[in-house]
Amino acid sequence: MIAAWMLYCIGIAVAFVVVGEALERALHLARRATRWAWVAALAGSYALPAAAWLRPSAFAGLPVPLAGPVAAGASVSQRVGPPLPPPTRPFSLGDLDAALTWAWGLSAGAVALALLGAGLRLAAWRRRWRVTTLDGRTVLVSDNVGPAVVGVWRPQVVLPAWSLELRSGERRLMLLHEDEHVRARDPWLRAAGAALLALAPWNPALWWQVRRLRLAVEMDCDARVLARGGDTPEYAELLLRVGERRARLPLGAAALGEPVSFLGRRIRRLVTDLPRWRWAGATAAGCIAAAAVAVACEAPRPVGLRQETRAGELVYSVFSADAPVSRVRTRAFAESTTVATMQAITQHYPELLREPTGPRVEVWFVADSRNRVVRTLKRPGPDVITVGIPGIRAVFPELDPSNVYGWSVHQVPEFRGMLRDNVRVIWIGLRAGADHDSALSESSIDERPVFLSGPPLQYPPLLRQAGIQGTVMVRAIIDTTGRAEPASVQVVESPHPGFNEAARNAVLQARFRHGRFRGRAVRVQIEFPVEFRTRG
């Protein structure tokens, strides 16, 4: 489960990298401080996973199968047919939890030790630096450290000895740059970014965000220096000169001389004028940032499915042709079907994941030997249910009991808050090779399905206004209750793609009189026309 959450956090951080890039562009075009773009990106990269952890009901869930304990044996009340194969424990992401916990702790400790070491080294350096007054202010002078601002609680400017030989104008710009760092509390931002890395050092997107924060801090400082009367060519020349000297910098210090990879971007920012269409560009970049935030918020959080059911909670029922029923209580079937159940709900009934509460609902799934859903039904559920062959035949009359391999009943507590409350899931497994997916054609039955009723057709407003009309042919399997099976509904012919979703919904919500063959209700595949006509 830790692996799933790590991947989720990396994905969220990558989305906020896009947010930071777009928001930085928007702020630059609007002539605003760009470092706040990366402050927002870092905050979102941590806040969103924290919210998904603390308020899981506000986020969609992505089921992640975790290996649970495997029963050493199975208690059998009656035994018929061949014995069940012994349950096996497949590999899952949960197996990595112990190793990842150690790796997380060691990497976080390594980063914390690096920060502590940098602080101790800085303290040792400061004891060797001399204090002097330069151009009316007190600064520290080192042999080859700086120019930079060191310290968080009491920030001080440190200059390398060679900077004392600069012209007065260049020295003034250098001091002005460092003073702007102190005035804007940039050391606090840099220290906070380094501290955040210690919390999740395994996340490469966070390292990128902190690196871009450092660059944005320097670019903002450059802009403030020029706004306070700095000469652009002279200041750019000073940046080049400082970059050539490549003086040592304390870890996390705000400094005029940043890495060479930053220098080119800083100088290009200084000498490049903003485009005439800057407000349009700022708006577009802001929209991209907002879209990336929305994508990050809609990303489903990982939720582990660890099947730890008590003995007798789930009933595995085995049927064979020569014996009607035998009941075997075991975890093997429950473990294999719980994960498949959540995947089936995600595909066929996603609203049950989004809605926190509602009336009691019963969801039935019929699956083949590979746990692929071939039939499904959702209906209001009773307070008490007894699942057996009579109950299964009442829901799916066309099922042959000799083809049913087993079933299980899943209650909401198994899904650990992922699923809406008051939901019961009945999973029916079919034997390998069973002819489970056959549906009769209209031409081969005695009574065809007949449309009885349905809600008003939802004509897409844009297509209605444009005067577009036509007939959509929808293929579906009508089950024995007179409803279209959701997994079978598909559009086979359409005059415009905008009609497809409305046509599918119309068939799903419609009621039919079920088809009959030799006096028995059967599943029938039909092609149903859905007409979209404007009134002339």
Side-chain angles (χ1 to χ4, degrees):
M1 190 60 183
I2 293 178
W5 270 97
M6 282 182 168
L7 292 174
Y8 173 71
C9 292
I10 290 174
I12 295 299
V14 168
F16 275 98
V17 166
V18 178
V19 173
E21 295 282 359
L23 195 56
E24 181 184 22
R25 179 65 176 169
L27 291 173
H28 169 59
L29 291 175
R31 291 197 176 98
R32 297 292 185 269
T34 59
R35 64 186 184 278
W36 301 117
W38 295 104
V39 171
L42 279 166
S45 297
Y46 280 92
L48 199 59
W53 180 269
L54 297 174
R55 295 289 304 276
S57 60
F59 295 80
L62 177 65
V64 178
L66 301 177
V70 178
S75 61
V76 182
S77 56
Q78 294 180 355
R79 186 121 184 180
V80 178
L84 291 172
T88 59
R89 187 182 185 279
F91 172 80
S92 73
L93 290 178
D95 296 331
L96 302 175
D97 283 357
L100 290 176
T101 300
W102 277 99
W104 190 336
L106 290 175
S107 59
V111 173
L113 285 176
L115 294 175
L116 178 61
L120 295 176
R121 187 167 63 252
L122 176 60
W125 287 352
R126 291 181 70 164
R127 285 195 293 268
R128 299 197 300 266
W129 296 339
R130 66 182 187 272
V131 180
T132 188
T133 301
L134 187 65
D135 296 339
R137 63 160 300 163
T138 301
V139 297
L140 299 174
V141 179
S142 69
D143 293 335
N144 194 29
V145 175
V149 176
V150 296
V152 176
W153 300 106
R154 290 183 299 170
Q156 290 180 287
V157 176
V158 56
L159 300 179
W162 57 263
S163 65
L164 303 180
E165 301 173 3
L166 295 173
R167 298 192 307 270
S168 60
E170 292 176 325
R171 241 187 356 259
R172 182 185 68 84
L173 289 175
M174 182 180 290
L175 288 172
L176 182 58
H177 179 97
E178 305 307 336
D179 286 341
E180 286 297 328
H181 276 312
V182 175
R183 186 177 295 108
R185 299 182 183 274
D186 289 338
W188 281 96
L189 277 182
R190 300 287 294 269
L196 287 176
L197 282 180
L199 296 178
W202 41 264
N203 193 331
L206 293 178
W207 286 87
W208 179 258
Q209 290 179 20
V210 171
R211 177 179 174 83
R212 292 305 307 273
L213 174 62
R214 288 174 53 194
L215 175 58
V217 163
E218 294 304 324
M219 286 183 169
D220 288 349
C221 193
D222 294 339
R224 292 195 301 272
V225 169
L226 296 182
R228 290 171 65 88
D231 179 69
T232 300
E234 185 179 10
Y235 186 69
E237 183 179 350
L238 175 63
L239 290 180
L240 290 172
R241 181 173 300 183
V242 173
E244 289 173 356
R245 302 300 294 259
R246 297 292 296 149
R248 287 188 297 172
L249 295 175
L251 183 64
L256 179 66
E258 281 286 350
V260 175
S261 58
F262 287 1
L263 191 57
R265 299 192 63 169
R266 291 172 64 184
I267 292 177
R268 281 195 298 273
R269 176 71 64 85
L270 293 176
V271 301
T272 303
D273 293 331
L274 293 179
R276 257 191 273 177
W277 43 265
R278 65 188 186 92
W279 286 111
T283 303
C287 291
I288 293 174
V293 171
V295 169
C297 292
E298 290 297 321
R301 63 186 180 88
V303 180
L305 296 177
R306 186 180 298 275
Q307 292 77 43
E308 297 178 352
T309 45
R310 294 185 297 274
E313 267 191 331
L314 298 180
V315 178
Y316 187 129
S317 301
V318 180
F319 302 87
S320 62
D322 55 341
V325 63
S326 66
R327 294 179 181 271
V328 181
R329 284 177 167 82
T330 181
R331 289 174 178 162
F333 189 74
E335 289 182 356
S336 65
T337 59
T338 303
V339 175
T341 295
M342 280 307 305
Q343 293 171 345
I345 290 174
T346 301
Q347 178 182 358
H348 297 289
Y349 304 107
E351 68 276 5
L352 297 180
L353 301 173
R354 296 191 296 264
E355 301 169 357
T357 186
R360 187 180 299 278
V361 170
E362 206 172 79
V363 179
W364 294 69
F365 291 110
V366 179
D368 62 14
S369 58
R370 297 182 181 180
N371 278 341
R372 295 177 301 187
V373 175
V374 295
R375 301 176 199 176
T376 179
L377 174 70
K378 184 177 76 170
R379 67 179 187 179
D383 293 335
V384 179
I385 180 174
T386 302
V387 179
I389 286 297
I392 293 175
R393 290 299 303 275
V395 179
F396 301 106
E398 71 278 11
L399 283 186
D400 187 342
S402 64
N403 288 337
V404 176
Y405 184 61
W407 68 79
S408 57
V409 180
H410 300 265
Q411 307 288 351
V412 170
E414 295 177 53
F415 303 116
R416 298 177 183 267
M418 280 200 310
L419 196 60
R420 195 187 82 181
D421 61 3
N422 290 329
V423 176
R424 181 188 295 117
V425 181
I426 299 91
W427 185 273
I428 303 168
L430 301 178
R431 292 184 182 277
D435 186 16
H436 53 73
D437 201 20
S438 60
L440 300 178
S441 64
E442 293 184 86
S443 60
S444 62
I445 59 176
D446 300 329
E447 298 180 25
R448 299 181 180 182
V450 177
F451 174 78
L452 298 177
S453 64
L457 184 61
Q458 300 297 318
Y459 204 120
L462 293 179
L463 299 183
R464 183 190 295 275
Q465 294 172 9
I468 300 175
Q469 54 187 349
T471 301
V472 180
M473 295 300 297
V474 180
R475 180 179 297 148
I477 294 176
I478 306 303
D479 63 20
T480 55
T481 67
R483 291 285 195 177
E485 297 181 359
S488 71
V489 179
Q490 56 181 321
V491 175
V492 296
E493 184 180 342
S494 175
H496 192 283
F499 288 128
N500 294 358
E501 188 64 25
R504 286 187 77 258
N505 290 336
V507 173
L508 285 170
Q509 299 174 29
R511 282 191 170 276
F512 296 83
R513 188 176 66 206
H514 57 70
R516 300 182 71 84
F517 179 66
R518 295 178 181 176
R520 182 169 66 94
V522 292
R523 298 166 66 244
V524 184
Q525 185 178 78
I526 67 170
E527 288 194 3
F528 186 75
V530 181
E531 295 189 358
F532 294 86
R533 302 293 179 194
T534 58
R535 295 178 180 177

